[in-house]
Amino acid sequence: MLFAPTLLSLALGLAQTSGQGAVATSQVDATEVGLQILAQGGNAIDATIAVHFALAVTYPYAGNIGGGGFLLYRDADGEAWFLDFREVAPAAATSDLYLDEAGRPVAEASQVGWKAVGVPGAVPGMWEAHQRWGRLPWSDLLKPAEELARRGYRIGAREANRLENYGQAMRKDPVAKDVFFPNDQALQMDDLFRQPQLADSIARMREHGVEAMRSGDLVDGMVHASQAGGGILQHEDFANYQPILREVWSFQWDGREVLAAPLPSSGGIFLQQVLFTLEGTPFRVWGFEDPRSIQVLGEATSAAFRDRNAWLGDPSSLDFDPHDLVDTEYLRSRRRSLGSHTYSPPSRKLPAPPIEHLETTHFSIVDGDGAAVSCTTTLNGAYGAKVMAPGGFVMNNEMDDFAALPGTANQYGLVQSKYNAVVAGYRPLSSMCPVIVVENGKVDAVVGSPGGPTILTSVLQVLLARYDFHMSPKAAMAAPRFHRQDLPPLLQYETERLNSAQKEALRSFGQPIELRKRLGDVNAIFRTKSGWEAIADPRYSGSAGEVRNSAPSGTETQQ
Ligand code: GLY
């Protein structure tokens, strides 16, 4: 561990010291870095930048330099911002990039190897955030990540398992092989993982800022590796990449304001559709466990996924106003058609998607001034495209979030439309769903999750549990979840979610069901009477040998 104080003592220190905020991430060293930055007087954006780089070192499965994400920020004055630093399709991308000669999609091509890599936005995104809103010097924020890479950290059980289960393809990559499989053996739990190449790369970014990812050695390395590996990245892609400041997708929900992600994320539209649709049903009266509630929620999410898949993509691709999808008349008519005892099958069948991989990662941060960041960041698949830049960081396979051939399924079983076709310079449609809930003018919750399309249903259900069913923050996070996305036509549920009677009732409605071990890995912060309560998803607490990472309550901030 990098810092002398343990997370616990630091967290306790936070709880005792007025107004320093809270951090929840999926990795203990990264959380500690965030807390240290807050303790040094950094604001939520400073902590975000430090955590983002730390995760690239200590959570290579999803944390990234070679990927991108979304940063939702509500500043101390109550103004909300959305920074899109998602990957874009390279300039040389064409609509047939992932099709064979017969015009059929080749899944492997958009998932593994350099051809699957979109132009990464992580460093330009963090740089932009710092330029606009940072307080501490940029260099100070990258220093902890550089040290973690240089001195090393202990591999946890979860990382070791993931490498074993999802990282094997990296053996074929000349850089990744040496980093993750020294002596031809995967890194094991408790191994000290040092990454000197990555440390040098971060040092370069510390010194040169975003310019280190616009041109120079790091970019040369990626372009050459891409060309050698059948990819299409060129120097101009890195020189031209720009993060985009977009209008926050915000809406009212039962007297509170929900700040959410606009396109190219489907998050805001999905949440607004489902929350509005449910508002007029007896859902709350029936209760959380009633099969009618489960059915009606599944029907509502399924309908929202149908819209997502039919209509959403990069905003530049749209030939209509996306607000049409949250038109109240449109949603009222949907509400009327939702059955609480009936199952609406999709128009066609597809096989079940592969078991959930928790690709992507989310972290939540609040600072002592009351500013909040909800940041979801990704390489897309586990270890992205399973290739590593010569600079020692894993590259994304975000191109698989485009519809390679509109009408066919991607790795999550999502079937999408022409609006999400591969177009040079466009961003692929995302399910990443960072959220900030504002009540009485104050941040009340900061929520987000990884999990492909299950991000949307996981975030939704934490909000419903907390606000519609009035659960405590801990109970809302622990409440069992389920997921229904139209295609495939299953309602997937966590073990504790359904008892025999509920299952029988759902089957009697005609609803096919399927067990899934876990859904989501939500990292969230809630306002409570006694202060902030930061909670990492209890689904992963106590996973062997790995310390979980939420800072307990800090004191309530002034706003
Ligand atoms: N790559 C995951 C997402 O953007 O939804």
Side-chain angles (χ1 to χ4, degrees), residues 70 86 308 359-360 378-381 398 401 412 428-432 452-453 455:
F70 298 136
R86 187 158 174 77
R308 176 199 192 276
E359 292 94 352
T360 302
T378 190
L379 290 164
N380 193 25
E398 215 65 57
D401 272 352
Y412 301 110
L429 179 61
S430 172
S431 295
M432 293 190 290
I455 294 174

Side-chain angles (χ1 to χ4, degrees), residues 33-348:
V33 164
L35 291 171
Q36 287 278 356
I37 294 295
L38 292 179
Q40 285 165 23
N43 62 19
I45 290 291
D46 294 328
T48 293
I49 294 163
V51 165
H52 199 288
F53 278 94
L55 286 169
V57 177
T58 61
Y59 202 74
Y61 173 80
N64 64 82
I65 283 170
F70 298 136
L71 188 162
L72 176 64
Y73 174 46
R74 186 176 190 268
D75 67 24
D77 297 325
E79 195 158 354
W81 309 86
F82 184 84
L83 187 65
D84 167 355
F85 59 100
R86 187 158 174 77
E87 301 89 328
V88 302
T94 50
S95 58
D96 60 354
L97 190 60
Y98 302 111
L99 306 181
D100 65 14
E101 280 170 10
R104 289 174 304 229
V106 184
E108 173 101 353
S110 60
Q111 292 175 9
V112 182
W114 280 94
K115 199 172 176 180
V117 178
V119 185
V123 178
M126 291 302 107
W127 178 258
E128 181 74 20
H130 187 258
Q131 295 296 105
R132 286 183 175 276
W133 306 299
R135 183 186 291 160
L136 298 183
W138 168 260
S139 170
D140 292 5
L141 306 178
L142 274 61
K143 188 82 188 153
E146 184 188 335
E147 287 184 11
L148 278 164
R150 209 173 292 288
R151 290 194 206 161
Y153 69 97
R154 297 277 165 199
I155 294 281
R158 196 171 167 194
E159 191 70 44
N161 283 339
R162 284 170 165 174
L163 255 182
E164 194 62 41
N165 293 331
Y166 309 122
Q168 295 295 341
M170 290 192 291
R171 285 182 187 272
K172 294 193 191 137
D173 182 75
V175 188
K177 178 176 169 296
D178 290 343
V179 172
F180 291 110
F181 301 89
N183 309 316
D184 211 27
Q185 233 218 327
L187 290 166
Q188 304 289 310
M189 185 174 141
D190 287 336
D191 282 355
L192 183 65
F193 184 29
R194 290 199 176 101
Q195 301 172 81
Q197 287 157 295
L198 179 56
D200 289 347
S201 298
I202 296 173
R204 198 168 287 224
M205 292 168 203
R206 233 168 34 83
E207 195 176 340
H208 300 291
V210 71
E211 293 312 317
M213 281 296 267
R214 294 219 179 282
S215 61
D217 289 354
L218 292 177
V219 173
D220 292 347
M222 286 184 278
V223 171
H224 292 150
S226 173
Q227 282 165 359
I232 56 168
L233 291 170
Q234 306 168 80
H235 284 91
E236 67 182 83
D237 290 318
F238 294 89
N240 293 340
Y241 181 92
Q242 292 297 339
I244 299 178
L245 206 57
R246 299 191 188 274
E247 196 177 327
V248 175
W249 190 277
S250 66
F251 59 95
Q252 294 295 315
W253 173 44
D254 209 18
R256 45 188 96 76
E257 187 183 17
V258 178
L259 306 176
L263 292 171
S265 167
S266 50
I269 294 173
F270 177 91
L271 284 181
Q272 186 171 359
Q273 280 200 339
V274 178
L275 291 173
F276 183 88
T277 308
L278 291 175
E279 249 186 73
T281 68
F283 175 74
R284 292 180 210 179
V285 181
W286 290 332
F288 181 74
E289 294 182 8
D290 192 291
R292 290 169 298 180
S293 301
I294 296 169
Q295 188 60 32
V296 93
L297 176 52
E299 292 281 311
T301 60
S302 187
F305 267 105
R306 260 196 297 283
D307 274 354
R308 176 199 192 276
N309 300 342
W311 297 108
L312 303 186
D314 186 297
S316 315
S317 74
L318 265 53
D319 47 15
F320 62 95
D321 180 350
H323 289 90
D324 292 351
L325 294 168
V326 292
D327 173 74
T328 48
E329 272 318 304
Y330 174 61
L331 293 178
R332 275 198 194 106
S333 108
R334 172 173 299 175
R335 186 190 292 159
R336 285 192 291 273
S337 71
L338 283 188
S340 57
H341 294 72
T342 47
Y343 159 70
S344 316
S347 49
R348 54 192 157 147

